[in-house]
Amino acid sequence: CKILRCNSEYVAATLPLRGPGRGAAFCTALRSYSRCTRRTARTCRGDLAFHSAVHGIEDLMIQNNCSREGPTAPPRPRPPAPDRQGFESLDVCDYERSFLYKHGRPPAFQHCAAFGDPHIRTFHHDFHTCRVEGSWPLLDNDYLFVQATSSPVAEGSNATVTSKLTIIFKNMKECIDQKVYQAELDNVPAAFQDGSVNGGARPGGSSLAIRERAPGRHVEIRAAYIGTTIAVRQAGRQLSFSIRAAEEVARAFTEEQDLQLCVGGCPRSQRLGRGRVAADAARALCREMLPVEDVYFQSCVFDVVTSGDANFTMAARGALEDARLFLPDAEKLHIFQ
Protein backbone atom coordinates (compact mmCIF):
# COMPACT_ATOMS: atom_id res chain seq x y z
CA CYS A 1 0.00 0.00 0.00
CA LYS A 2 1.52 3.31 -1.14
CA ILE A 3 -0.73 5.65 0.86
CA LEU A 4 2.24 7.06 2.76
CA ARG A 5 3.70 8.42 -0.46
CA CYS A 6 0.36 10.09 -1.34
CA ASN A 7 0.19 11.65 2.12
CA SER A 8 3.74 13.01 2.06
CA GLU A 9 3.34 14.45 -1.45
CA TYR A 10 0.13 16.23 -0.41
CA VAL A 11 1.75 17.65 2.74
CA ALA A 12 4.78 18.85 0.74
CA ALA A 13 2.49 20.55 -1.80
CA THR A 14 0.29 22.34 0.75
CA LEU A 15 2.77 23.38 3.43
CA PRO A 16 3.77 26.59 1.55
CA LEU A 17 0.11 27.51 0.92
CA ARG A 18 -1.23 29.98 3.46
CA GLY A 19 -3.84 32.72 3.53
CA PRO A 20 -6.96 33.53 1.47
CA GLY A 21 -5.18 33.40 -1.88
CA ARG A 22 -4.32 29.74 -1.70
CA GLY A 23 -7.61 28.52 -3.31
CA ALA A 24 -6.64 27.38 -6.82
CA ALA A 25 -3.28 25.88 -5.76
CA PHE A 26 -4.92 24.11 -2.82
CA CYS A 27 -7.59 22.57 -5.07
CA THR A 28 -4.87 21.43 -7.47
CA ALA A 29 -3.06 19.71 -4.59
CA LEU A 30 -6.30 18.05 -3.45
CA ARG A 31 -7.04 16.71 -6.95
CA SER A 32 -3.49 15.33 -7.13
CA TYR A 33 -3.96 13.74 -3.72
CA SER A 34 -7.24 12.18 -4.85
CA ARG A 35 -5.65 10.83 -8.04
CA CYS A 36 -2.82 9.30 -6.01
CA THR A 37 -5.24 7.54 -3.62
CA ARG A 38 -7.26 6.12 -6.54
CA ARG A 39 -4.09 4.53 -7.88
CA THR A 40 -3.55 2.77 -4.55
CA ALA A 41 -7.19 1.74 -3.98
CA ARG A 42 -6.76 -1.92 -4.87
CA THR A 43 -3.79 -2.57 -2.56
CA CYS A 44 -5.02 -0.30 0.27
CA ARG A 45 -8.60 -1.56 0.71
CA GLY A 46 -8.00 -2.79 4.28
CA ASP A 47 -5.76 0.11 5.36
CA LEU A 48 -7.17 2.53 7.96
CA ALA A 49 -4.90 5.38 6.81
CA PHE A 50 -6.15 4.97 3.23
CA HIS A 51 -9.82 5.23 4.20
CA SER A 52 -9.13 8.21 6.46
CA ALA A 53 -7.36 9.94 3.56
CA VAL A 54 -10.23 9.31 1.12
CA HIS A 55 -12.82 10.74 3.53
CA GLY A 56 -10.53 13.66 4.40
CA ILE A 57 -10.07 14.61 0.74
CA GLU A 58 -13.82 14.53 0.16
CA ASP A 59 -14.46 16.84 3.13
CA LEU A 60 -11.70 19.28 2.16
CA MET A 61 -12.89 19.52 -1.45
CA ILE A 62 -16.39 20.38 -0.28
CA GLN A 63 -15.15 22.90 2.30
CA ASN A 64 -12.95 24.66 -0.28
CA ASN A 65 -15.44 24.48 -3.20
CA CYS A 66 -12.97 22.52 -5.31
CA SER A 67 -14.19 20.96 -8.55
CA ARG A 68 -13.33 17.33 -9.21
CA GLU A 69 -12.17 18.16 -12.74
CA GLY A 70 -9.23 20.47 -13.27
CA PRO A 71 -5.44 20.66 -13.31
CA THR A 72 -3.34 18.42 -11.10
CA ALA A 73 0.24 18.98 -10.03
CA PRO A 74 3.00 16.53 -10.95
CA PRO A 75 4.33 14.69 -7.89
CA ARG A 76 7.19 16.45 -6.19
CA PRO A 77 10.59 14.72 -6.24
CA ARG A 78 11.18 12.86 -3.01
CA PRO A 79 14.13 14.01 -0.88
CA PRO A 80 17.07 11.58 -0.93
CA ALA A 81 16.82 10.78 2.78
CA PRO A 82 13.21 11.15 3.95
CA ASP A 83 12.58 11.59 7.65
CA ARG A 84 10.81 8.40 8.70
CA GLN A 85 9.79 10.06 11.95
CA GLY A 86 8.13 12.99 10.13
CA PHE A 87 4.55 13.25 8.99
CA GLU A 88 4.49 9.72 7.60
CA SER A 89 4.90 8.23 11.08
CA LEU A 90 2.52 10.78 12.54
CA ASP A 91 -0.11 9.99 9.93
CA VAL A 92 -0.15 6.24 10.40
CA CYS A 93 0.83 5.65 14.01
CA ASP A 94 -0.77 8.52 15.93
CA TYR A 95 -4.46 8.14 15.17
CA GLU A 96 -5.78 11.13 17.12
CA ARG A 97 -3.30 13.67 15.73
CA SER A 98 -3.72 12.28 12.23
CA PHE A 99 -7.52 12.47 12.44
CA LEU A 100 -7.36 16.04 13.72
CA TYR A 101 -4.99 17.00 10.90
CA LYS A 102 -7.24 15.52 8.22
CA HIS A 103 -10.68 16.44 9.56
CA GLY A 104 -10.06 19.55 11.63
CA ARG A 105 -11.71 17.99 14.67
CA PRO A 106 -10.85 15.23 17.17
CA PRO A 107 -12.25 11.74 16.57
CA ALA A 108 -15.31 10.37 18.38
CA PHE A 109 -14.82 7.54 20.88
CA GLN A 110 -16.89 4.67 22.26
CA HIS A 111 -16.68 2.81 25.57
CA CYS A 112 -17.41 -0.81 26.48
CA ALA A 113 -16.85 -2.75 29.70
CA ALA A 114 -17.24 -6.31 30.97
CA PHE A 115 -17.06 -6.98 34.71
CA GLY A 116 -18.61 -8.96 37.54
CA ASP A 117 -21.07 -11.76 36.84
CA PRO A 118 -20.39 -10.80 33.92
CA HIS A 119 -22.11 -7.51 33.12
CA ILE A 120 -21.65 -5.93 29.71
CA ARG A 121 -21.86 -2.22 28.99
CA THR A 122 -21.97 -2.03 25.18
CA PHE A 123 -20.66 0.68 22.87
CA HIS A 124 -24.28 1.81 22.48
CA HIS A 125 -24.87 2.24 26.26
CA ASP A 126 -26.99 -0.90 26.54
CA PHE A 127 -26.47 -2.89 29.73
CA HIS A 128 -26.84 -6.66 30.06
CA THR A 129 -26.14 -9.24 32.72
CA CYS A 130 -25.09 -12.52 31.11
CA ARG A 131 -24.91 -16.15 32.12
CA VAL A 132 -22.31 -16.94 29.49
CA GLU A 133 -19.98 -19.81 30.28
CA GLY A 134 -17.00 -20.69 28.12
CA SER A 135 -15.30 -18.32 25.64
CA TRP A 136 -17.09 -15.39 23.98
CA PRO A 137 -15.78 -12.57 21.77
CA LEU A 138 -16.09 -9.10 23.24
CA LEU A 139 -14.60 -7.58 20.05
CA ASP A 140 -13.84 -8.96 16.60
CA ASN A 141 -12.96 -6.27 14.06
CA ASP A 142 -10.25 -5.42 11.55
CA TYR A 143 -7.82 -4.23 14.24
CA LEU A 144 -8.66 -6.06 17.47
CA PHE A 145 -9.88 -9.41 18.70
CA VAL A 146 -10.81 -9.72 22.38
CA GLN A 147 -12.09 -12.95 23.92
CA ALA A 148 -13.36 -13.44 27.47
CA THR A 149 -13.55 -16.87 29.09
CA SER A 150 -16.09 -17.26 31.90
CA SER A 151 -16.20 -19.89 34.65
CA PRO A 152 -18.63 -20.60 37.51
CA VAL A 153 -17.98 -18.66 40.71
CA ALA A 154 -18.21 -21.93 42.64
CA GLU A 155 -19.15 -25.52 41.86
CA GLY A 156 -22.88 -25.79 41.26
CA SER A 157 -23.35 -22.00 41.06
CA ASN A 158 -25.23 -20.32 38.20
CA ALA A 159 -23.07 -17.21 38.60
CA THR A 160 -20.08 -16.92 36.27
CA VAL A 161 -17.07 -14.59 36.21
CA THR A 162 -14.39 -13.78 33.68
CA SER A 163 -11.38 -15.95 34.44
CA LYS A 164 -9.30 -15.31 31.31
CA LEU A 165 -8.91 -12.50 28.75
CA THR A 166 -7.14 -12.77 25.40
CA ILE A 167 -6.48 -9.62 23.38
CA ILE A 168 -4.98 -9.70 19.89
CA PHE A 169 -3.68 -6.48 18.33
CA LYS A 170 -3.63 -7.32 14.64
CA ASN A 171 -0.63 -6.60 12.43
CA MET A 172 -0.47 -3.04 11.04
CA LYS A 173 2.35 -2.70 8.54
CA GLU A 174 4.03 0.59 9.42
CA CYS A 175 3.23 0.50 13.13
CA ILE A 176 3.19 -2.84 14.94
CA ASP A 177 3.77 -6.54 14.64
CA GLN A 178 0.81 -8.65 15.72
CA LYS A 179 0.81 -8.78 19.52
CA VAL A 180 -1.11 -11.05 21.87
CA TYR A 181 -1.92 -10.15 25.48
CA GLN A 182 -3.32 -12.74 27.87
CA ALA A 183 -4.45 -12.37 31.49
CA GLU A 184 -5.69 -15.09 33.84
CA LEU A 185 -6.65 -15.11 37.49
CA ASP A 186 -3.59 -14.24 39.59
CA ASN A 187 -1.61 -13.55 36.42
CA VAL A 188 -2.19 -10.05 35.03
CA PRO A 189 1.16 -9.45 33.33
CA ALA A 190 2.57 -6.10 32.27
CA ALA A 191 3.86 -7.59 29.00
CA PHE A 192 2.64 -9.30 25.85
CA GLN A 193 2.93 -13.06 25.47
CA ASP A 194 6.30 -12.74 23.72
CA GLY A 195 7.70 -10.78 26.69
CA SER A 196 7.70 -7.41 24.90
CA VAL A 197 6.10 -4.25 26.28
CA ASN A 198 5.51 -2.41 22.98
CA GLY A 199 4.60 -2.98 19.33
CA GLY A 200 8.00 -4.17 18.20
CA ALA A 201 10.79 -2.85 15.97
CA ARG A 202 8.69 -1.15 13.28
CA PRO A 203 8.80 2.67 12.92
CA GLY A 204 5.66 3.07 15.05
CA GLY A 205 6.40 0.32 17.58
CA SER A 206 6.07 2.71 20.52
CA SER A 207 2.48 3.48 19.50
CA LEU A 208 1.46 0.28 21.32
CA ALA A 209 2.56 0.06 24.95
CA ILE A 210 1.62 -1.58 28.26
CA ARG A 211 1.71 0.30 31.53
CA GLU A 212 1.32 -1.35 34.93
CA ARG A 213 -1.07 0.63 37.15
CA ALA A 214 -1.11 -1.75 40.14
CA PRO A 215 1.30 -4.73 40.22
CA GLY A 216 -0.50 -7.93 39.32
CA ARG A 217 -3.90 -6.23 39.53
CA HIS A 218 -4.33 -3.49 36.91
CA VAL A 219 -2.69 -2.83 33.54
CA GLU A 220 -3.42 -0.26 30.86
CA ILE A 221 -2.65 -0.89 27.19
CA ARG A 222 -2.45 2.15 24.93
CA ALA A 223 -2.75 1.58 21.19
CA ALA A 224 -2.20 5.12 19.87
CA TYR A 225 -2.06 3.93 16.24
CA ILE A 226 -5.79 3.06 16.43
CA GLY A 227 -6.81 5.61 19.07
CA THR A 228 -7.63 2.93 21.63
CA THR A 229 -6.94 2.37 25.34
CA ILE A 230 -7.72 -0.86 27.22
CA ALA A 231 -7.76 -1.51 30.97
CA VAL A 232 -7.55 -5.01 32.46
CA ARG A 233 -8.12 -5.49 36.19
CA GLN A 234 -8.37 -8.29 38.72
CA ALA A 235 -10.66 -7.78 41.70
CA GLY A 236 -11.01 -10.76 44.03
CA ARG A 237 -11.39 -13.89 41.92
CA GLN A 238 -12.46 -12.30 38.64
CA LEU A 239 -11.11 -10.20 35.78
CA SER A 240 -12.64 -7.13 34.19
CA PHE A 241 -12.15 -5.42 30.83
CA SER A 242 -12.73 -1.81 29.75
CA ILE A 243 -12.01 -0.13 26.44
CA ARG A 244 -12.11 3.35 24.93
CA ALA A 245 -11.96 2.93 21.17
CA ALA A 246 -12.07 5.35 18.26
CA GLU A 247 -15.52 5.10 16.67
CA GLU A 248 -14.03 4.32 13.26
CA VAL A 249 -12.06 1.41 14.76
CA ALA A 250 -15.00 0.03 16.76
CA ARG A 251 -17.11 -0.07 13.59
CA ALA A 252 -14.49 -1.71 11.33
CA PHE A 253 -16.08 -5.15 10.98
CA THR A 254 -18.12 -7.14 8.47
CA GLU A 255 -21.48 -8.91 8.72
CA GLU A 256 -19.62 -12.18 9.32
CA GLN A 257 -18.15 -10.72 12.53
CA ASP A 258 -21.64 -10.49 14.02
CA LEU A 259 -21.03 -11.90 17.53
CA GLN A 260 -19.35 -9.19 19.60
CA LEU A 261 -20.65 -8.63 23.11
CA CYS A 262 -19.35 -5.01 23.07
CA VAL A 263 -21.45 -4.31 19.96
CA GLY A 264 -24.65 -6.31 20.38
CA GLY A 265 -24.54 -7.27 24.05
CA CYS A 266 -25.36 -10.79 25.22
CA PRO A 267 -27.46 -13.02 22.98
CA ARG A 268 -31.06 -13.00 24.26
CA SER A 269 -30.84 -16.62 25.36
CA GLN A 270 -27.89 -15.72 27.62
CA ARG A 271 -29.34 -12.64 29.37
CA LEU A 272 -30.30 -12.67 33.02
CA GLY A 273 -32.88 -10.44 34.58
CA ARG A 274 -32.41 -9.20 38.11
CA GLY A 275 -35.11 -10.29 40.52
CA ARG A 276 -35.62 -8.91 44.01
CA VAL A 277 -32.06 -9.30 45.28
CA ALA A 278 -31.92 -6.20 47.47
CA ALA A 279 -30.23 -7.85 50.44
CA ASP A 280 -29.52 -5.15 53.04
CA ALA A 281 -25.99 -6.36 53.74
CA ALA A 282 -25.07 -6.37 50.04
CA ARG A 283 -26.57 -2.92 49.51
CA ALA A 284 -24.61 -1.54 52.45
CA LEU A 285 -21.33 -2.98 51.13
CA CYS A 286 -21.95 -1.63 47.64
CA ARG A 287 -23.00 1.79 48.87
CA GLU A 288 -19.58 2.23 50.49
CA MET A 289 -17.98 1.95 47.04
CA LEU A 290 -20.76 3.28 44.80
CA PRO A 291 -22.83 6.15 46.21
CA VAL A 292 -25.00 6.49 43.06
CA GLU A 293 -27.61 3.73 42.66
CA ASP A 294 -27.07 3.17 38.93
CA VAL A 295 -26.45 -0.09 37.04
CA TYR A 296 -22.96 -0.36 38.53
CA PHE A 297 -24.52 -0.30 42.00
CA GLN A 298 -27.28 -2.74 40.97
CA SER A 299 -24.68 -5.06 39.45
CA CYS A 300 -22.64 -4.92 42.63
CA VAL A 301 -25.66 -5.90 44.74
CA PHE A 302 -26.57 -8.69 42.32
CA ASP A 303 -23.02 -10.08 42.37
CA VAL A 304 -22.57 -9.93 46.14
CA VAL A 305 -25.95 -11.61 46.76
CA THR A 306 -25.31 -14.28 44.11
CA SER A 307 -21.73 -15.08 45.03
CA GLY A 308 -21.45 -14.08 48.69
CA ASP A 309 -18.10 -12.47 47.79
CA ALA A 310 -17.60 -8.87 48.97
CA ASN A 311 -14.72 -8.47 46.46
CA PHE A 312 -17.33 -7.89 43.76
CA THR A 313 -17.75 -4.38 45.15
CA MET A 314 -14.23 -3.62 43.89
CA ALA A 315 -15.06 -4.99 40.42
CA ALA A 316 -18.00 -2.62 40.00
CA ARG A 317 -16.00 0.30 41.43
CA GLY A 318 -13.13 -0.39 38.99
CA ALA A 319 -15.51 -0.56 36.03
CA LEU A 320 -17.04 2.78 37.05
CA GLU A 321 -13.58 4.38 37.37
CA ASP A 322 -12.66 3.16 33.88
CA ALA A 323 -15.91 4.53 32.46
CA ARG A 324 -15.18 7.91 34.08
CA LEU A 325 -11.76 7.94 32.35
CA PHE A 326 -12.83 6.55 28.98
CA LEU A 327 -16.22 8.17 28.29
CA PRO A 328 -15.93 11.47 26.42
CA ASP A 329 -19.42 12.52 27.56
CA ALA A 330 -19.58 12.64 31.38
CA GLU A 331 -23.38 12.80 31.25
CA LYS A 332 -23.43 9.22 29.96
CA LEU A 333 -21.37 7.88 32.87
CA HIS A 334 -24.32 6.57 34.88
CA ILE A 335 -26.94 4.25 33.37
CA PHE A 336 -30.25 3.90 35.21
CA GLN A 337 -32.72 1.12 34.50
Side-chain angles (χ1 to χ4, degrees):
C1 179
K2 305 288 186 183
I3 190 64
L4 289 179
R5 179 174 297 175
C6 298
N7 292 341
S8 61
E9 287 174 356
Y10 168 70
V11 172
T14 54
L15 276 177
L17 304 178
R18 293 288 183 273
R22 70 174 189 166
F26 190 69
C27 289
T28 298
L30 279 173
R31 283 191 290 268
S32 299
Y33 193 11
S34 179
R35 183 179 65 179
C36 188
T37 58
R38 287 197 299 273
R39 288 174 176 168
T40 67
R42 179 172 295 180
T43 55
C44 291
R45 279 182 302 178
D47 192 291
L48 180 61
F50 169 77
H51 292 289
S52 295
V54 170
H55 291 303
I57 293 167
E58 186 74 23
D59 291 344
L60 287 169
M61 291 189 83
I62 292 170
Q63 291 167 21
N64 291 274
N65 295 318
C66 298
S67 63
R68 295 183 180 278
E69 301 299 326
T72 58
R76 296 195 169 209
R78 305 193 78 198
D83 178 9
R84 295 294 298 171
Q85 297 305 313
F87 181 76
E88 293 189 6
S89 294
L90 159 67
D91 184 48
V92 176
C93 301
D94 190 326
Y95 181 88
E96 292 187 46
R97 290 176 64 192
S98 168
F99 192 97
L100 181 63
Y101 181 90
K102 290 170 184 169
H103 302 284
R105 60 177 175 82
F109 294 94
Q110 295 183 330
H111 169 58
C112 169
F115 64 97
D117 182 22
H119 310 289
I120 307 293
R121 176 177 183 150
T122 74
F123 284 138
H124 310 295
H125 306 297
D126 294 321
F127 190 84
H128 299 155
T129 299
C130 313
R131 61 182 175 198
V132 292
E133 188 172 345
S135 297
W136 294 75
L138 294 172
L139 283 171
D140 181 10
N141 61 42
D142 294 346
Y143 306 98
L144 282 168
F145 178 79
V146 181
Q147 180 173 276
T149 301
S150 296
S151 307
V153 174
E155 192 173 343
S157 172
N158 287 326
T160 58
V161 292
T162 300
S163 55
K164 181 177 178 180
L165 283 165
T166 302
I167 305 170
I168 299 175
F169 297 87
K170 298 181 181 179
N171 171 65
M172 189 165 175
K173 287 182 181 177
E174 296 82 1
C175 299
I176 68 153
D177 302 316
Q178 177 169 293
K179 293 289 178 176
V180 179
Y181 178 80
Q182 193 161 283
E184 299 184 67
L185 289 177
D186 299 325
N187 183 19
V188 181
F192 296 107
Q193 271 199 319
D194 62 4
S196 65
V197 295
N198 59 34
R202 300 188 185 192
S206 61
S207 65
L208 175 63
I210 295 182
R211 180 179 179 184
E212 190 171 56
R213 291 289 191 175
R217 286 289 181 269
H218 180 193
V219 299
E220 184 177 272
I221 308 174
R222 290 181 177 267
Y225 69 100
I226 51 172
T228 295
T229 303
I230 291 172
V232 175
R233 298 173 182 259
Q234 177 170 337
R237 303 300 301 160
Q238 60 91 29
L239 299 173
S240 64
F241 167 87
S242 294
I243 185 171
R244 175 186 186 252
E247 195 171 72
E248 184 180 23
V249 171
R251 292 178 176 176
F253 58 89
T254 63
E255 290 181 6
E256 288 75 27
Q257 297 163 300
D258 58 343
L259 181 56
Q260 301 180 64
L261 301 192
C262 276
V263 176
C266 307
R268 289 192 175 276
S269 62
Q270 301 294 322
R271 296 178 193 174
L272 289 174
R274 286 182 290 282
R276 285 188 275 183
V277 292
D280 291 341
R283 293 180 70 86
L285 283 168
C286 293
R287 196 171 283 113
E288 290 178 16
M289 291 283 194
L290 303 151
V292 178
E293 295 196 15
D294 59 359
V295 291
Y296 294 99
F297 178 87
Q298 295 166 9
S299 303
C300 175
V301 173
F302 178 92
D303 292 347
V304 173
V305 168
T306 303
S307 68
D309 185 353
N311 283 313
F312 276 97
T313 61
M314 295 188 293
R317 173 62 178 268
L320 180 62
E321 288 176 356
D322 288 335
R324 186 174 281 115
L325 286 171
F326 290 168
L327 274 174
D329 186 350
E331 292 184 1
K332 293 180 179 177
L333 174 63
H334 299 290
I335 297 175
F336 298 94
Q337 64 183 37

